[in-house]
Every structure is written in structure tokens, then in C-alpha cells.
Amino acid sequence: MSVPILEMKNITKEFPGVKALDNVSFKVERQKIHCLVGENGAGKSTLMKVLSGVHPYGSYDGEIYFEDKLQDFKSTRDSEQAGIAVIYQELALVPEMTVYENVFLGHEICKGINVDINETIKQTVEILKKVRLDVNPSTPVKQLGIGKQQLVEIAKALSRDAKLLVLDEPTSALNESDSDNLLDLLRELKEQGVTSILISHKLQEVIAIADKVTVLRDGASIVTLDAHNGEVNENVLIKHMVGRAIENIYPERKKKKSDQVVFEVRNWNAYDPARERQILKDVNLELRKGEVLGITGLMGAGRTELALSLFGNPDNYRIDGEMLIGGEPVKFNHPEKAIKAGLAYVTEDRKGDGLILIQDVKSNITIANLKRILKYGVIDANAEIKDAREYTDSLGIKTPSIEQKVLYLSGGNQQKVSLAKWLYVSPDIMILDEPTRGIDVGAKFEIFTIMNKLVEQGMSIIMISSELPEILGMTDRIYVVSDGKITGELSTEDADQEIVMRYATM
Amino acid sequence: MSFFKEFLTLLKKNIRDYGMYIALFVIMAFFTIATDGIFISSRNISNLMNQMGYIAVLAIGMTLVIVIRHIDLSVGYLAGFLGALAAIALTSWNLPVLLVIPLVLIFGVAAGLIAAVTIAKFGIPSFVATLAGWLIYRGALLRATLKTGTIVIPNDTFNAIGNGYIPDLPLEGFLPGTHKLTLLLGIIGAVLLVISEIRSRKKKMAYDFEVLSKNMFIVKTIFTIILLGAVTYVLAGYNGLSWTAVIVLSVTLIYHFLTTQTFLGRHIYAVGGNPEAAELSGISVSKITYVVFGSMGMLSALSGMLFASRLQSATTTAGQGFELDAIAAAYVGGVSSAGGVGKVTGSLIGAIVMMSLTNGMNLMGIDISTQYIVRGAVLVAAVVFDVATRKQRA
Ligand SMILES: Nc1ncnc2c1ncn2[C@@H]1O[C@H](COP(=O)(O)OP(=O)(O)OP(=O)(O)O)[C@@H](O)[C@H]1O
Ligand SMILES: [Mg+2]
């Protein structure tokens, strides 16, 4: 057996009220792809932050050996210098800067005190070849899609001669082909000697790519499995992660299909003056009472824009077309009006425009419907605590208290807070934009169960998702969007991945 | 949980707030010793309150402006200009005081709303929009005082705002040398406070919510009473509560209530915490911008009148640098420019800290140049402490 490149021994990390890591030991062998899986809040990101020095030496207990040396990283700079590159889910690129500037940001190639642009570009081209990214190095990063930006991040890591690459949920925001591309790249880098640690909630991709898999649960490492002797499959992973087996991740719904149309959009066009682009073309759709309607398509097809244009149009698109709720024409000039009319929109980007991270769980849950706890304009603090407790309990939100800042919750629990916030407005129509992004199987199952309960109670749900399996598993009907147009309407019974993809690329 | 342990957790959780009170206490103790007790004398404290009033009300408004991620540089000269306007209304137009005050406040609101239009509607950065306001109101102030220079205000009622004290109870011979109404108000305040604390605790317990342990609760309440008592006692030893103090306390209480207990406060902090999320939660960011700048304008008007009344005149340089003092007070009081963080009570304490420094150093006869340097150092120290304690909690 080869010497491990990384060994973390007995790591314990506590936050006020939370023991995020409890005596975790973690060993990574050289030139392997080592996956790290576990439920939301299991401590995966925290373990990697301990490794990279985000949580500096001294703020945790335990020892880190990297390349056979005991390390005491006091900042990310130290770990970078040692050859560890961490790519977080929130990309750390400067959008206004060009690709080559980003790649060499922080360790510019200089001639004297001037940056040697020609040399930088030359080296960038070489590195971009390695990551198989075919763009002009002088393109501003903001003009690239998220998949390509991800590759720029990796290029950045390679430019620093990273020996160990850590990727925290790199594929959660990528579509299938970008994901595949990224995974292929990791394999290739492995051949060239780079070791990777990959955190992911997509178990299929874990199974496809891993040499080893470590499962964390409640801050403890449960098991490390070798992927090459057949002991890794989805059920085994789920069982280790959740502690129990989940038979069917898409729970059965007693289908009460209704034909009553509750929401309808006709000849809907939207133009975005900021991007000077027509983003929606002649969209027609209808939503029936008690159904889960899927909207899918490739990234950038205009699904989120569609949702925003319906939900009070906060980005000020120029819109024409008709919207009807319960047969009555409606017009919203602000999300406030949409909420009043019974709509709710759980955003795709929960950190960016979903939650107020610096505020606590309870204020986030009540913010969209303060009316419920107001008496003469004054907030009834006790009623608020009571309601917030009720919602955190019923959604199973894991938090030390409802006074915890949302910032400190794990991704899945943040997503549940978003959901709680919108359930708190008791909407009739709920738009869920990528509701399972970055959340674990257990939580997915719970969210699906909640969705089923809601539609059985008569709510109608529009579920926007790029994950075809969950679109096929959860919806009654599907609209496929491509380039701002609806290219297909399918009954889920007749749909499969191939058909959907055909419409999506039309 | 043992008493001591609970005390430590409480301290840790509220280190930022308590730190500020401790700092204020240390500063006051230092000046008291350094001036042989003159600093803490009833007369001086009373004076200090009057001196800080016009900055304190600005700092309170500024807190909200900074909370929603903006800044208002125009408040100083706006205050100066509106003070001059009040003076003109009283002297040249011969309007009665009770009409002038609301009128000037309304002008203030209007000025704030104009700034808000340029910011919320046209998307001009508040720094630039209010810098323009700074220039414009400076010009307006000069123009208003052009003919006469300083405008003397010969109106006793108006001048009482900045110099007068609340009347005393007509009880001859009872507790001579103290201001009885002030004492009475202090006692009433303490009683109300205790009652409301006990009631809220009871209610919380009925809901089975977490509360402080009984001992801790008693200690905390007694401590608050002592503090309130001390302030009352000191003030009652001189002329009692000044009108300025009454105004500042009322503004603080109202704003504290609005920001912590009402939907409006929630909306303001939501917009400051994450404007996109607030917008999507049905909160109109531009409406909140109007409200916050409107309130800032109104408080500028109040500040201007407090200052004019204190000087019993409107001068050509009135309001100069107030905006910077107000911003400094707000930062000392713990607001964060990242938005969404900051309390009005903190800013009041911030204003008291900054004014104590000026007042104390004046008493010690310290040169003005040194004073600026010390105040700058305290400002930096406060913000460093703020950032550090925030990090530690993360
Ligand atoms: N800075 C922090 N302060 C307080 N608690 C924290 C902090 N960071 C993480 N935690 C807590 O530590 C636990 C582990 O969180 P971590 O982010 O490591 O989970 P994760 O496994 O990465 O989950 P996810 O899959 O949702 O990203 C959670 O309970 C989380 O709330
Ligand atoms: Mg994570």
C-alpha cells in the first residue's frame, strides 16, 4: 500500500452549540479520487475547511499530515503553498477579470514589477488545454457559463501546482454534460498525478468516479469503502449516510388529478433590458389544482427568468402577455402583489436571493408573511417563536436553536428554511426552483414527501429542475424549455430521459 | 446551569453590547478621576446631555441609513439650513413656535424624500447623491444667513428646547436641592421597566420558552435599576431633566420600538441584510429607502432646531461636520457597513461615548488637536473590537 498523501487524525471541531466534527479520521491515498459523502450538516465542508486552514490551526483538535509532514495551516494561503487547492461551491473568481487574470490571480507572473501578460497568456493557454477548456484567455469570466467557470477554477488550482484538489459539490450547479466533462477531467488529472477529494450529493456520480468513498454522519466518520471491490452501491451509501434504508426516493402520491386550471399564462414574452435580450418567447402554460408541474431544460434555457417574470418581475423585464389566476386576469408589478395573490417562489440561489444569512432562523421563516404575527403593526415575539418552532419541527430543520443565524446552517437545512419561509405564507401556488440543489438524499426524500402532502391538500406546485430523474419521479406533467421557448409538453407517464433531452436541445 | 456559567455565556453572547457599556463606564470613570469628580457632577452630566442631543438624533437616523447599506453626508448642512429656516420663520415671518416646529420637520422629511428619489428611482449611489446635498444645503445655509450673518432668536419657548429643563413639582421644603419631578419620573420608569420585564418573562415561561434563570434575572434587573437610579440621581441633583434629554430619550424609545418590535423594523433589517431576498419576500426596497431617508431628513430638522435653540441663534457654520460625528457615533455604536446590522440604542451610546470624550478632554484642558486624535483612535478601536468579536462568534 502506498503512503497516504493526506491523513487527518482525530479531528474534533466545535462551534457554539454544535459539535461539527467528532474525532474524525480521514486518510487519502495518492493518485486516487476520494469521495466524501454524508447528509447535510454531517460535517463534510467543515472537515475540508479544517484542512484548508479556513478554520485555522488551533481552532480544532487533532492532527493533519500532508505529504508525511505534520501541518499547522493558519490560513488558506498556507495550505495553498503546501499544494492543496480547494474549490468551494461558491466560486471565487472575479467576474470582471479575464480568464488569464483569474488563473494567475495572487501569483502573477512578473517581469520586474510589471505583469508579463504575454507569458501569462501563454501559460494560461497551456493550462486551459489541460482542463480542456476552449476559450480565449482574454474573455472576461462573467461571459462564461457556470460549467466553464468551474473549469477556470480548476485551471487556477493547477497553475499553482496543486497536488491535492478538493472540490466541494462542484457539480451541484452543473448540467449533465458539464458534469460529465468535469468528472472526465478529474480522471485525467488523476493519471497525471493529482489526487482529488470530491464532495457530492449525487450518488450516481460518486459511484461512477470514486476509488474510495468515506461516509460522514453527524460529525463522525462512519466508514471508508473501496469502490473497486464492489461494495459501493447506492443503497449501501444511503444506508451508511442516513442510518436506515430508503426504499423509494420518490415517494408515492395518491394521485388526485384534477382538471381545474388554477393558473395560466398566455403568449408570455419577456425582454431583459439589462442584457438586451429577448428571454422568453411566446410561452403558454397552465397549472392544474393539486398537480406537480415540472419545468425542465438546460441551464440558461430561461426557466428561472420565467419564474421571476411571473413572480412580480423584480428584475424589471419588459413583459407582455396574459396571466390568469383562477380564470381572472392578474398583473403584478412587485413580488408583494404576487404573494398576496397566493404565489410563492422558492429561489434557486438560496444564499444569493433566498435567505437573509445574517439573520436567525425564526426571522427568515416569518419575513414573507409578518402579518401572521402582527398585532396592530407590532410583532408578537412569542407567537413568532411558537410558529418558527412549529415549522422547524415539522420540516425537520436541524439547528441548535431558532435563534441560530442561517449562515451557520448546512446547505440542506438552509434549503428547508427557505421552504419553511414560503410555506409560512400558505400559498396556493408554489414555484420551487431547483429545490433539491445541494441537499442530501434523506432531505430530498423529506422534501418530496412534503411536496406530496402539499399537493394532496390542494396546493399546486411548479417544480423547476435540471435533474431529470427527479422531474420524472415527482411530476405529473412536464414542460420542456429551450432558449426561452416551450418546446414540448409531456405527460410524465409517457416521458423518459431521452424524449425530454430531445425537446431540451430543440 | 450554574449561575457563574450562565453569566459567562450571557457575557459571551452579548460581548459586543456589554463591551460598549463597559467602555463607556471606563471612559466616564477615567474622566471622573482625572477631573477630581467634576466630570460626574450633576451640572456637567446635564450639560453633556444637552451638548450631545443634536448629534444623538442624527446618529439614530444614520444608523438606519447605514443598516440599509447607504450613507447620508448631507445631514449636517441640512440641519444647519433647517435651523436657519426655523430662525427666519420665527423672527422674520413671526410664526408661532408650535407651527414652526412641525413645519420645519416636514421640510426635513421632504428633503430626505428628494434624496431618496435620486437614490431609489434613479439609482445614484447615496454617497454621491448626498454629497450633492451637502453642497446644496451648504449654499442654502449661506444664502439664508447672507443678509444678517448670525440670526439671533429672541424666542424663549424655542430656546428652551436646547437650554431649558422640565418644571419641578411645587413641593416647597420637600427634598430641597433636588429636582423632584425628575426623581419621580425615574422611579416611575424603573417600576414600569420591572413590571414589563417580569410580565414578559412570565409569558415566555408560559410558552415554555427559554428564559434567564431566576437568580440571573434578579441580578440583571437590579443592575438595570441601579443604573437608572444613578442617572436619575445625578440629573436630579442639578436642574433635573432637560428638554433636550426628554427629546433624545423619546426619539430613542420610539426608534427602538419601531426597529425592534414592528414590521417596519423587520423590513428595514431585511433590506439591509439581503436586498434581493427582501424584494422577493414582497418587501419593496425602494419604499424602505424612502422611509429611511425621510426619517433621516426629519431627524436632521430636529437636530438643526436643537442646535439653533441651544445657541439661541442660527449661524453660517451651523451643522458643519455633524454628519461625520453622527457617522462616527453610529459606528462606535456597532453598525456595520455590510448592512443589516446595528441598533439605535447602540448609536445613542456611541454618541454619548464620543461626546464624553470631547467633554472630558475639554474639562482636562486638553488641546483640540489631541482631542481629534484621541477620538479617531477610539473610533478605530471600537470598530476593530466590533469586527473581532463578530469573527470570534462565527
Ligand atoms: N461557522 C459555523 N458556525 C456555527 N456552526 C457551523 C458553522 N459552520 C458549520 N456549522 C455547523 O456544523 C455542522 C456541519 O456543517 P457542514 O457545513 O460541515 O456540513 P456539510 O456536511 O458540508 O453539509 P452540506 O451537505 O449541507 O453542505 C452543521 O450543523 C452546521 O450547522
Ligand atoms: Mg457543505
Side-chain angles (χ1 to χ4, degrees), chain A residues 311 334-336 339 347 351-356 358-359 370 377-379 382 384-386 389 408 421-422, chain B residues 203-204 207-209 257 261-263 266-267 269-270 273-274 276-277 279-284 339 341 394:
Chain A
F311 191 70
H334 193 272
E336 188 189 357
I339 296 169
T347 61
K351 287 190 178 163
D353 55 21
L355 296 167
I356 303 169
I358 57 166
Q359 291 188 0
L370 282 175
V378 178
I379 291 169
N382 291 322
E384 178 171 38
I385 298 176
K386 204 163 138 253
R389 286 219 177 136
Y408 303 138
K421 160 180 165 177
W422 288 108
Chain B
K203 209 161 166 197
K204 279 220 165 98
Y207 275 109
D208 216 11
F209 294 160
F257 173 76
Q261 318 265 325
T262 69
F263 74 98
R266 277 298 168 84
H267 286 186
Y269 285 90
N274 185 344
E276 288 84 19
E279 189 84 20
L280 283 175
S281 305
I283 299 166
S284 164
V341 177

Side-chain angles (χ1 to χ4, degrees), chain B residues 343-366:
Chain B
K343 297 182 186 167
V344 294
T345 45
S347 298
L348 176 68
I349 301 293
I352 297 178
V353 166
M354 294 309 266
M355 201 38 90
S356 297
L357 287 175
T358 310
N359 176 293
M361 287 190 287
N362 275 338
L363 289 180
M364 287 171 70
I366 291 175

Side-chain angles (χ1 to χ4, degrees), chain A residues 15 18 20 39-46 169 201 408-412:
Chain A
F15 296 109
V18 195
E39 284 187 286
N40 297 118
K44 306 177 294 292
S45 300
T46 307
E169 299 188 32
H201 287 295
Y408 303 138
L409 299 190
S410 74

